[in-house]
Amino acid sequence: QVQLVESGGGSVQGGGSLTLSCRASGNTYCMAWFRQAPGKEREWVSYTYMASGNSFYADSVKGRSTVSRNNAENTQYLQIISLRPEDAAVYYCAATTQPYCSNAPNGYTSWGKGTQVTVSS
């Protein structure tokens, strides 16, 4: 099973930007980002087909987010700009070696421990 390690979280002022990274211990077919705010369900943010680099985004971040990847290092990056208070959450990286991407948490067997993002006003 692929191991995932996220980094890049922290406290950011509203309107600012941040970049999260997720490094996998091996090759993956699809890597995704989810987030979970206190008292809320885990929410899909984006997923990326690692071979092609095609990325898809949730409406909540579309137009403000960009995923990039470095396949040589099995790493994906999530940049979010124009941060809003509702972007505050623990962000999780997820991955699968199965030949699909999913916007559902149960579509992924590998998860990182999460990185906290706080947005201050």
Side-chain angles (χ1 to χ4, degrees), residues 19-22 31 33 46-50 53-55 57 65-71 74-79:
T19 300
L20 306 178
S21 65
C22 174
M31 294 184 78
W33 289 98
S46 71
Y47 60 63
T48 299
Y49 293 90
M50 295 302 285
N54 288 338
S55 296
Y57 304 90
S65 296
T66 303
V67 171
S68 58
R69 80 202 195 288
N70 181 334
N71 280 351
N74 296 319
T75 300
Q76 66 161 346
Y77 304 90
L78 171 68
Q79 180 187 43

Side-chain angles (χ1 to χ4, degrees), residues 83-98:
L83 281 162
R84 305 165 180 170
E86 55 264 38
D87 292 320
V90 177
Y91 283 70
Y92 295 92
C93 177
T96 181
T97 57
Q98 298 300 308

Side-chain angles (χ1 to χ4, degrees), residues 8 10-20 35 61 63-66 78-88 91 117-121:
S11 181
V12 183
Q13 194 166 8
S17 65
L18 63 78
T19 300
L20 306 178
R35 66 187 183 186
V61 299
R64 300 188 295 122
S65 296
T66 303
L78 171 68
Q79 180 187 43
I80 306 178
I81 64 172
S82 302
L83 281 162
R84 305 165 180 170
E86 55 264 38
D87 292 320
Y91 283 70
V117 172
T118 303
V119 181
S120 59
S121 57

